[in-house]
Amino acid sequence: MAAQFKMTPMTQAGFESKPSAEIKRRLSNPNIDPLIQMSPVTPMYAGFGSNVDEAAKSIEIGIAVHDGDYSVDYSIQKIQYNDSPEKSGALIVDHITRQLRHIAKEHLFKFVGGGVTENLHKLCPTLCTRLWLDLDMVPMVFPVRSTARAVKPSAANEAPKPRPTDEQADSAVRKLVMYFGPSHNPRLSIGYRNQVEVDANGLTHIIDGVEEYRNTCREGTWNALNKYANDLRERGVKIGFFSSTPQGGGVALMRHALIRLYRILGVDATWYVPKPSPAVFRHTKNNHNILQGVADPNLRPTKQATDQFTEWITYNAERYWLSEGGPLAEGGIDVAFIDDPQMPGLIPLIKKARPNLPIVYRSHIEIRSDLVHVAGSPQAEVWKYLWDRIQLADLFISHPVAKFVPSDVPVETLCLLPAATDWLDGLSKPMRAWDLNYYMRVFKSQCSDIRMNKLLWPARGYICQVARFDPAKGIPDVIDSFCKLRRRLDDILPASKTPQLLICGHGAIDDPDASIIYDQTMALLEKEEYAPYASDIVVMRIGPSDQMLNALLTNAKIVLQLSLREGFEVKVSESLHHGKPTIATRAGGIPLQIIDGKSGYLVDVHDTTAVANHLYNLWTDKALYDRISAQAAVNVSDEVGTCGNGAAWLYLASKLSKGEKLKPHGKWINDMMREDAGEPYREGEPRLKRDSINIQG
């Protein structure tokens, strides 16, 4: 079809700004960091507008370039069509992306966002998706006037004249920049009743249409997803998710991805978070650590902190969600999904207001079942408070991990669902070298800002662990394993051929431990056995940039996940998806994701010698590395992707909203869903291990 179109030789106006030859000359100096020579320097924004001239069979495309403060350049060009403007989408996408690539390369720009007018979006529905996937731009669609206002009263009755496309593009990009923060990341949007407005409440269009999602999963998963989405959409069922934080951590990542997918499928799904309280989050983090068995043995919840916790969730529920017109009031949602150990206090409040509303509670942390039944233990005290509230829910979802669920939970209400990640979001999508280099450059700049050791990539490779700074993430074992490796490699390789170590991760507003663990990590590097290698260890807390984590994972040689205690830790599947050999502990749900010796390696907790041995073999044996890397990329189950996870939630919503009483008896929700949908697993279809698991302890 593209052959039917051509660009006219006439250009109304091209980009006028000229790049600095002196800057390029300086950056080409062979003595500077090679990354600096091949990466964009300046983050920029772009706006796009269009006018169709049916008489001339042409489409005028305007592009405005904005630096975050003011528009600095523009381009207007015309494209001819031979059939109809509605069929010119491919040519429009090609024209815009070529223009942006050209000016970005000339000026060393990194375009981070794009404002698209509604008219252009209708004319070219695939433009936003291509901006996101091909150029790593966050696209937003805005209503922008396409006709010029009459300048004289006498002209009011005349036919409106088209508004110049550069003006439309400029208007779109000025609207766009208001949604970005000072670090050039999209701002988080929390709306009325503390609803998380995912993708700026629909203005952001990183994925338009279902085809991109269809390509991320297998046929059985896709068919099941659509079966339940169609049912819920036709019956007008409303579902609501409730969790503690809108950003940071796995729950928030999953909810953003789910709401985005459900919006495209036409499912009425909303997500709510409470008003944050630092004092309450300190208490709930203590509870989290106590249940996992990684807290100080003398730490116990105080009555004052527990009462404050109860008052906090009650306040949020009554103010935002239970009042008239709220999602939990009569006429609100039809099924409630409650996440996080911060939120169980909501369950009895819902049951009191709406006794028949189905409630599903998801427990995503390891609960030390061996300790919660020890009378008088801190674990027993915390669990009693939580279970008194959780037991009112209709279903209890757990990660599929041995001894994750106390025996108090009736097995007939227990079902299993792993965590998930999204293959199309900033954390996992493939990115071109131009964009990867930009984020690596920004990361290096952040290291320099706090005088952290330099990551010398690409001159040297590195091993990384991406995780929150949490006492359960095994960071001391990561350092010990790396230093054992380096002692061996230093005997056979020059320093330039040995790896560095990167330890990094995001934070979350409900995690006050991060600074404490970070400081402990830095102090550990001063110990005598680690000090010789401390200059090759980079320890960084980074902001909420999924693409930066993506770049750090993409460019890493080997990935570690040496958790002491763990929920599911979907970062392991993300690493495998990137084709990275991953060495991880037999903790929580990690062993379900790695085929030991095939897609990575599993080791016992604290066995740093085994970790060092695997690192040594992977670093020195290219054939072994290539084999493990190739297997890692193709052995990831749909269950840990957004489509598989989204289908599981819709299955529960479909059944519960019809009044059906589910009794899973410890089954995997994905298995129940695929059987009910008539979509059995195909031979050879990757699945998480279904070994006999004693879930309750």
Side-chain angles (χ1 to χ4, degrees):
M1 183 64 70
Q4 297 182 19
F5 310 111
K6 63 179 181 179
M7 187 177 297
T8 63
M10 176 187 65
T11 299
Q12 287 189 319
F15 292 117
E16 295 289 340
S17 58
K18 304 299 180 184
S20 168
E22 176 62 17
I23 290 177
K24 285 190 173 184
R25 186 189 67 79
R26 287 175 178 270
L27 292 179
S28 66
N29 188 327
N31 296 319
I32 67 173
D33 184 341
L35 176 64
I36 303 300
Q37 300 179 37
M38 56 186 183
S39 63
V41 176
T42 309
M44 300 291 280
Y45 303 85
F48 313 100
S50 65
N51 282 327
V52 175
D53 186 342
E54 294 185 356
K57 284 199 167 185
S58 68
I59 303 170
E60 184 178 279
I61 303 294
I63 303 175
V65 178
H66 198 288
D67 64 6
D69 292 318
Y70 204 77
S71 292
V72 296
D73 205 349
Y74 73 98
S75 165
I76 301 175
Q77 292 188 330
K78 285 188 176 182
I79 300 171
Q80 283 188 310
Y81 62 88
N82 296 326
D83 194 349
S84 68
E86 290 76 17
K87 295 182 179 181
S88 59
L91 190 63
I92 293 172
V93 169
D94 179 68
H95 167 68
I96 289 176
T97 55
R98 281 193 297 105
Q99 289 280 301
L100 293 178
R101 283 192 175 103
H102 174 74
I103 191 172
K105 185 176 180 180
E106 286 293 304
H107 292 265
L108 299 179
F109 287 164
K110 165 66 178 89
F111 285 103
V112 295
V116 180
T117 65
E118 283 186 346
N119 283 345
L120 178 56
H121 184 246
K122 292 175 183 176
L123 192 63
C124 185
T126 62
L127 174 61
C128 290
T129 301
R130 300 275 49 95
L131 291 176
W132 170 247
L133 294 179
D134 297 346
L135 300 182
D136 186 45
M137 296 174 65
V138 176
M140 302 183 74
V141 177
F142 299 101
V144 172
R145 186 168 44 82
S146 59
T147 56
R149 288 195 176 96
V151 294
K152 297 180 180 179
S154 59
N157 295 324
E158 297 178 2
K161 296 181 179 179
R163 186 183 182 189
T165 54
D166 61 326
E167 287 188 21
Q168 295 181 42
D170 181 67
S171 179
V173 75
R174 284 188 288 109
K175 292 174 186 286
L176 171 83
V177 296
M178 298 189 330
Y179 287 85
F180 283 74
S183 60
H184 304 287
N185 288 319
R187 297 181 187 274
L188 190 65
S189 180
I190 307 296
Y192 183 51
R193 297 189 183 276
N194 271 34
Q195 179 180 341
V196 182
E197 296 181 331
V198 173
D199 292 341
N201 208 22
L203 288 176
T204 301
H205 288 243
I206 66 172
I207 301 294
D208 277 321
V210 299
E211 286 306 312
E212 296 295 339
Y213 283 104
R214 184 195 294 270
N215 294 334
T216 67
C217 66
R218 296 163 182 88
E219 184 180 2
T221 300
W222 183 252
N223 292 341
L225 172 68
N226 279 277
K227 171 185 171 67
Y228 298 112
N230 292 340
D231 170 60
L232 294 171
R233 185 176 61 250
E234 290 167 4
R235 293 192 292 119
V237 174
K238 302 185 290 292
I239 60 179
F241 292 90
F242 297 82
S243 61
S244 60
T245 60
Q247 186 170 302
V251 174
L253 284 170
M254 287 190 290
R255 295 298 162 261
H256 279 281
L258 273 187
I259 299 299
R260 183 179 301 126
L261 171 62
Y262 290 165
R263 181 180 288 132
I264 291 173
L265 293 174
V267 174
D268 190 342
T270 47
W271 171 29
Y272 301 89
V273 294
K275 183 179 180 181
S277 166
V280 169
F281 286 156
R282 174 68 273 173
H283 172 69
T284 58
K285 184 61 179 179
N286 287 345
N287 286 350
H288 185 289
N289 292 340
I290 288 170
L291 290 173
Q292 286 193 312
V294 296
D296 185 319
N298 297 316
L299 180 64
R300 289 176 176 271
T302 65
K303 183 179 185 304
Q304 179 183 1
T306 301
D307 289 345
Q308 187 177 25
F309 181 23
T310 304
E311 292 169 3
W312 169 75
I313 195 64
T314 302
Y315 165 81
N316 278 278
E318 293 179 346
R319 176 172 180 178
Y320 299 118
W321 309 322
L322 288 168
S323 56
E324 184 177 356
L328 295 175
E330 288 294 339
I333 61 174
D334 300 300
V335 183
F337 296 118
I338 313 294
D339 258 300
D340 300 338
Q342 293 92 329
M343 304 298 289
L346 187 58
I347 298 173
L349 300 173
I350 298 173
K351 284 298 182 184
K352 182 179 179 181
R354 294 179 63 187
N356 297 321
L357 179 68
I359 302 174
V360 178
Y361 176 75
R362 175 178 175 270
S363 174
H364 71 271
I365 66 168
E366 179 178 10
I367 299 172
R368 288 287 301 274
S369 300
D370 57 330
L371 298 178
V372 298
H373 297 306
V374 176
S377 68
Q379 288 78 15
E381 192 173 342
V382 172
W383 173 245
K384 182 182 185 307
Y385 175 89
L386 297 178
W387 178 239
D388 284 347
R389 292 151 179 78
I390 294 170
Q391 63 182 324
L392 300 175
D394 297 274
L395 292 176
F396 185 105
I397 296 178
S398 169
H399 284 323
V401 180
K403 297 183 179 179
F404 238 53
V405 180
S407 57
D408 312 57
V409 180
V411 68
E412 61 267 21
T413 69
L414 175 61
C415 46
L416 308 181
L417 183 69
T421 191
D422 191 76
W423 307 129
L424 298 174
D425 69 6
L427 195 58
S428 298
K429 67 173 181 174
M431 292 199 294
R432 59 189 179 136
W434 183 262
D435 300 310
L436 291 170
N437 292 341
Y438 168 77
Y439 293 108
M440 296 299 287
R441 183 183 183 127
V442 172
F443 177 77
K444 287 191 174 190
S445 176
Q446 291 180 359
C447 290
S448 178
D449 288 344
I450 65 168
R451 301 183 67 184
M452 175 50 63
N453 300 327
K454 292 182 178 180
L455 188 68
L456 298 177
W457 182 92
R460 289 175 65 186
Y462 63 92
I463 298 161
C464 78
Q465 173 162 304
V466 176
R468 292 202 291 182
F469 287 89
D470 182 288
K473 297 300 181 182
I475 294 175
D477 288 350
V478 173
I479 293 171
D480 191 62
S481 302
F482 174 76
C483 291
K484 286 181 176 178
L485 167 71
R486 283 294 304 273
R487 292 186 192 105
R488 294 178 64 183
L489 290 179
D490 285 357
D491 291 336
I492 63 170
L493 295 175
S496 61
K497 300 297 183 181
T498 60
Q500 291 183 285
L501 174 65
L502 169 63
I503 301 170
C504 66
H506 287 334
I509 62 173
D510 67 337
D511 185 4
D513 279 346
S515 295
I516 298 171
I517 302 303
Y518 180 88
D519 290 347
Q520 291 174 356
T521 302
M522 298 307 298
L524 188 64
L525 297 179
E526 298 178 7
K527 295 182 67 173
E528 183 178 352
E529 62 264 44
Y530 304 138
Y533 305 102
S535 62
D536 270 340
I537 299 175
V538 180
V539 184
M540 283 291 291
R541 294 177 64 190
I542 59 180
S545 170
D546 290 344
Q547 288 98 312
M548 183 178 290
L549 285 183
N550 186 335
L552 294 170
L553 272 178
T554 299
N555 291 320
K557 186 79 171 178
I558 305 168
V559 176
L560 300 177
Q561 188 60 60
L562 303 186
S563 302
L564 312 181
R565 298 282 174 183
E566 196 52 86
F568 185 78
E569 193 44 272
V570 77
K571 282 282 185 296
V572 172
S573 286
E574 292 168 355
S575 302
L576 298 175
H577 181 74
H578 279 84
K580 302 301 172 181
T582 303
I583 304 169
T585 49
R586 294 182 176 92
I590 291 174
L592 302 176
Q593 304 172 68
I594 292 178
I595 303 175
D596 191 21
K598 185 176 180 181
S599 62
Y601 294 102
L602 293 170
V603 300
D604 293 333
V605 172
H606 294 313
D607 191 350
T608 57
T609 299
V611 176
N613 289 339
H614 291 311
L615 286 171
Y616 181 87
N617 293 335
L618 288 168
W619 196 263
T620 58
D621 187 339
K622 185 177 185 302
L624 173 66
Y625 180 92
D626 291 343
R627 175 170 60 81
I628 297 291
S629 176
Q631 288 295 323
V634 298
N635 278 285
V636 180
S637 167
D638 282 353
E639 295 165 281
V640 297
T642 295
C643 289
N645 184 260
W649 290 110
L650 295 187
Y651 161 75
L652 294 179
S654 175
K655 296 297 181 183
L656 293 173
S657 63
K658 294 175 182 176
E660 296 186 31
K661 300 295 183 183
L662 296 177
K663 294 187 177 181
H665 289 277
K667 292 181 180 178
W668 293 61
I669 299 175
N670 288 87
D671 293 348
M672 299 166 61
M673 176 263 296
R674 291 286 289 264
E675 180 181 355
D676 181 78
E679 296 290 342
Y681 291 101
R682 273 66 165 177
E683 183 177 353
E685 182 176 350
R687 282 201 292 170
L688 297 175
K689 298 174 188 175
R690 294 297 200 270
D691 298 339
S692 179
I693 303 173
N694 181 19
I695 297 294
Q696 292 187 291

